[in-house]
Amino acid sequence: MSSSPFERVLSAPILGLGLGIDIFDDQPDFRVLIDRHRDGFDFLEVYSRGDWEHTDDPFARIPASVPRTYHHEGLDPVGPRICPDDTINGCAKNQRLLNPPWTVEELAVRHIDGKYCDFFFPAILNEECVKATIENLNALHARLPGPLLPENAPYEFSVGDMHLCEFLTRVAHGADCGLVLDLGHLWSWQLCVGKGDTPDHGIDKLDLSRVIEVHLAGARIEKYEGGQIYRDLHGAGPIPEASLYLLRELLPKLSNLRAITIEVEDATEQGAIEQARQVREVVQQIRPAWLEGVHVA
Amino acid sequence: MSLEAQYRAVYALMYKRGTRDAFEQGKFDRFEGTDDAEAEEIKQVAGLRQNIVVQLHADDIGNNWYMPRFPATWTALQVALGADQPELTMRFTDTDYFELRVNDDSDGRALAAFVDTLRLPNAPWLAELLRYERMIAGHWPDGQSPRVETFEWDVAGVYDALVDKQLFPVDETPVPLSLLLHRDEAGVTEVALNRDQARVMKRLIARENLDDAEPSVVAKCRRVLNQLR
């Protein structure tokens, strides 16, 4: 019997601290990062915007010596039904080209009734969505060569009365897979439900052993009368203190952590490396042994 | 229970202002296909926070989808309608034309359908301006290149006024503009033609006999075409 998606990601080595880059971006240019700043990161998380028709050439420019994970989009795993065949086949193609230990996919839908949306509509947090998500992930795992790591998507408003951490645990157990815990996205949900002052509120509902990868990214906080809204900026903004707080709190508890990714799209190369340094300092302070043997510097 | 109905409801709350306003005003209790529990969950979403999120995303759609691709049309629309960017986006997304988009409407087909229906008296050149912007962006109705396109207005001048000089053209009169357009991997090249040149260039591209045409015009057209190729 073949191993489960969770067992497969557990067999991967610790990758360390990586940069999430978009292969179609001029800034930061991943080739410049590799050529001039290789000592500033341990691996790259490669984002293709869900494209598979124009990825051969840019993927081929990533040297085999650079460890990588892959970040897809468009599989829409929390939707009412599985996505179209060409999207699955496209993801499979990119997995074969990159050969990553896992593929990250947002727990969100980019299409509703086939219509592309301007942002990731995050999972509706209720029983029906848990069930659909597990079915979709199982169906996707049956067709993709590599395992998926579903990621909690950013929330600007939340639908459903289930705690996000319970949703993530139920999905991870149901589909027997690991998770990416995006710390900023977790806080974004807490802001939606009035728990922004306690970014780790209800964290006991999350099976932390399922967290294989952690994401951090820059953000902007929109304030309005009655609350705050988290706006995902990736490299175009500073990493919020709430995300760093969550990192400090959770880092010792993530027994199966394999990777920490700082998403730096739109940052300058220097800015990307600076954010990586900022996070590396936290890791070295809280859990130095985790980085031993993986830091390329 | 329908997850699909819930997503459709959230989609309507995000992009369909008329539906959102009617729902918030209590004109209807629940979105089609939702049961009691789901309807209650959707109700909890609607309100101040969601309205602010809608505004933020309306601004995002303008900044990320339309302003970079069709800057003259998008700017002109805001001036002609007296609407800022979020307001313009919300008016547009509320229409059925928005549903014509493919992905992020990178070819502008949904925007073109919206613009075609506006018939704004202070911007009678708007539809032609967008046709021009779509053409120079490479979104052509067919693959024929090179080609001669004639616009009813001097849309290149309108474009320059809006984008380069940041002026809204006032009291423009129709002045036809003919362009030779050529598309290759580097993008679209445009060459302005006068009326005689446009007539001859069309025939030249169609490989028609030009014995009856003015030789100097034919020579000029051949030279331009050869340079482009």
Side-chain angles (χ1 to χ4, degrees):
Chain A
M1 189 174 166
S2 61
S3 53
S4 73
F6 186 49
E7 289 166 334
R8 292 171 71 187
V9 296
L10 281 180
S11 69
I14 292 175
L15 295 179
L17 209 147
L19 297 177
I21 52 91
D22 183 329
I23 50 160
F24 298 116
D25 274 353
D26 295 327
Q27 185 180 297
D29 186 328
F30 68 89
R31 290 156 295 197
V32 174
L33 287 170
I34 292 169
D35 291 344
R36 300 185 197 161
H37 302 282
R38 186 63 190 92
D39 60 349
F41 61 95
D42 302 321
F43 72 97
L44 289 179
E45 181 149 301
V46 179
Y47 178 50
S48 72
R49 308 179 190 177
D51 189 302
W52 60 85
E53 293 168 323
H54 310 93
T55 51
D56 298 65
D57 180 58
F59 281 2
R61 292 172 188 266
I62 302 172
S65 60
V66 178
R68 77 288 303 270
T69 57
Y70 174 51
H71 195 325
H72 197 70
E73 78 163 61
L75 295 173
D76 294 358
V78 303
R81 65 184 66 84
I82 196 165
C83 63
D85 283 350
D86 60 345
T87 307
I88 302 171
N89 294 337
C91 180
K93 176 203 161 183
N94 285 348
Q95 285 187 340
R96 289 192 187 95
L97 286 173
L98 277 177
N99 194 26
W102 60 74
T103 294
V104 178
E105 177 69 41
E106 305 276 346
L107 285 166
V109 290
R110 196 79 207 221
H111 304 82
I112 294 178
D113 272 344
K115 293 295 172 193
Y116 184 84
C117 302
D118 74 293
F119 70 120
F120 294 112
F121 270 84
I124 290 176
L125 300 174
N126 61 19
E127 289 290 340
E128 193 181 5
C129 194
V130 168
K131 184 167 172 282
T133 304
I134 291 168
E135 285 175 7
N136 288 338
L137 287 172
N138 286 340
L140 290 165
H141 276 132
R143 294 184 53 184
L144 291 170
L148 295 173
L149 269 192
E151 171 189 354
N152 57 313
Y155 280 82
E156 294 176 346
F157 59 91
S158 177
V159 186
D161 54 9
M162 188 181 287
H163 194 289
L164 174 63
C165 290
E166 182 186 348
F167 180 88
L168 295 173
T169 298
R170 297 268 304 275
V171 166
H173 289 174
D176 201 3
C177 62
L179 293 168
V180 173
L181 183 62
D182 187 305
L183 301 179
H185 296 177
L186 172 58
W187 185 47
S188 76
W189 182 79
Q190 305 281 20
L191 288 171
C192 291
V193 297
K195 301 291 183 187
D197 291 341
T198 47
D200 53 354
H201 175 80
I203 201 72
D204 56 320
K205 298 176 194 299
L206 180 59
D207 179 355
L208 293 174
S209 74
R210 293 281 170 164
V211 177
I212 301 297
E213 180 178 346
V214 158
H215 275 188
L216 293 112
R220 184 178 79 240
I221 306 303
E222 293 281 346
K223 294 182 179 175
Y224 70 100
E225 195 180 336
Q228 300 178 79
I229 298 166
Y230 180 98
R231 303 231 77 201
D232 221 4
L233 292 184
H234 288 187
I239 299 172
E241 174 51 34
S243 301
L244 295 169
Y245 165 80
L246 284 167
L247 180 65
R248 287 191 290 265
E249 289 297 306
L250 297 179
L251 200 50
K253 303 171 186 170
L254 302 175
S255 56
N256 290 317
L257 185 68
R258 295 290 187 274
I260 298 174
T261 300
I262 303 106
E263 296 178 298
V264 293
E265 298 100 312
D266 297 326
T268 62
E269 286 84 15
Q270 202 57 50
I273 295 302
E274 176 55 31
Q275 287 199 332
R277 188 198 59 73
Q278 181 188 14
V279 173
R280 191 180 297 278
E281 277 183 7
V282 175
V283 178
Q284 281 171 334
Q285 184 186 357
I286 304 286
R287 195 172 166 184
W290 185 77
L291 278 173
E292 282 175 12
V294 292
H295 184 24
V296 298
Chain B
M1 295 279 281
S2 167
L3 186 59
E4 193 162 30
Q6 292 172 77
Y7 278 117
R8 282 181 182 152
V10 179
Y11 181 93
L13 286 174
M14 279 302 299
Y15 295 125
K16 302 299 172 188
R17 166 195 269 174
T19 306
R20 182 172 67 251
D21 288 354
F23 185 64
E24 289 191 17
Q25 290 165 31
K27 298 289 169 54
F28 66 100
D29 282 340
R30 70 173 63 187
F31 285 84
E32 189 180 340
T34 56
D35 65 17
D36 288 346
E38 291 163 348
E40 192 53 41
E41 286 174 359
I42 299 297
K43 265 186 193 163
Q44 288 174 14
V45 173
L48 177 60
R49 184 183 185 91
Q50 207 262 341
N51 285 341
I52 290 170
V53 171
V54 167
Q55 294 261 349
L56 292 170
H57 282 274
D59 212 24
D60 288 348
I61 288 173
N63 284 330
N64 300 331
W65 292 16
Y66 293 111
M67 196 63 187
R69 294 167 184 152
F70 313 111
T73 302
W74 195 246
T75 301
L77 272 168
Q78 290 172 61
V79 177
L81 290 169
D84 63 12
Q85 182 165 262
E87 173 64 24
L88 167 61
T89 306
M90 286 189 288
R91 286 192 203 181
F92 172 34
T93 62
D94 195 36
T95 67
D96 290 341
Y97 305 114
F98 183 62
E99 305 312 312
L100 297 174
R101 72 192 183 281
V102 173
N103 292 326
D104 54 355
D105 200 27
S106 57
D107 65 4
R109 69 180 66 185
L111 183 63
F114 174 63
V115 164
D116 279 347
T117 61
L118 290 176
R119 310 264 179 234
L120 296 168
N122 56 349
W125 32 261
L126 194 60
E128 282 288 84
L129 175 64
L130 180 54
R131 187 164 75 86
Y132 169 71
E133 286 198 282
R134 294 180 72 202
M135 294 293 288
I136 60 173
H139 304 302
W140 294 10
D142 55 52
Q144 188 192 329
S145 177
R147 65 196 299 136
V148 174
E149 285 290 326
T150 299
F151 300 88
E152 295 170 24
W153 299 78
D154 176 14
V155 285
V158 172
Y159 180 96
D160 286 345
L162 284 158
V163 175
D164 296 335
K165 303 189 180 96
Q166 300 188 323
L167 293 171
F168 184 83
V170 176
D171 294 337
E172 288 286 306
T173 52
V175 177
L177 172 70
S178 292
L179 294 174
L180 172 66
L181 298 172
H182 179 263
R183 185 170 64 179
D184 59 20
E185 285 178 2
V188 175
T189 306
E190 56 180 311
V191 178
L193 305 171
N194 64 31
R195 187 182 302 177
D196 291 339
Q197 291 166 344
R199 198 177 304 127
V200 169
M201 189 67 86
K202 279 183 187 171
R203 294 174 62 191
L204 190 60
I205 290 169
R207 298 172 190 272
E208 291 177 9
N209 187 307
L210 292 168
D211 288 349
D212 60 337
E214 169 61 40
S216 64
V217 177
V218 174
K220 164 91 174 169
C221 288
R222 282 192 203 284
R223 198 162 56 243
V224 169
L225 209 49
N226 287 337
Q227 283 172 346
L228 277 181
R229 282 168 170 163

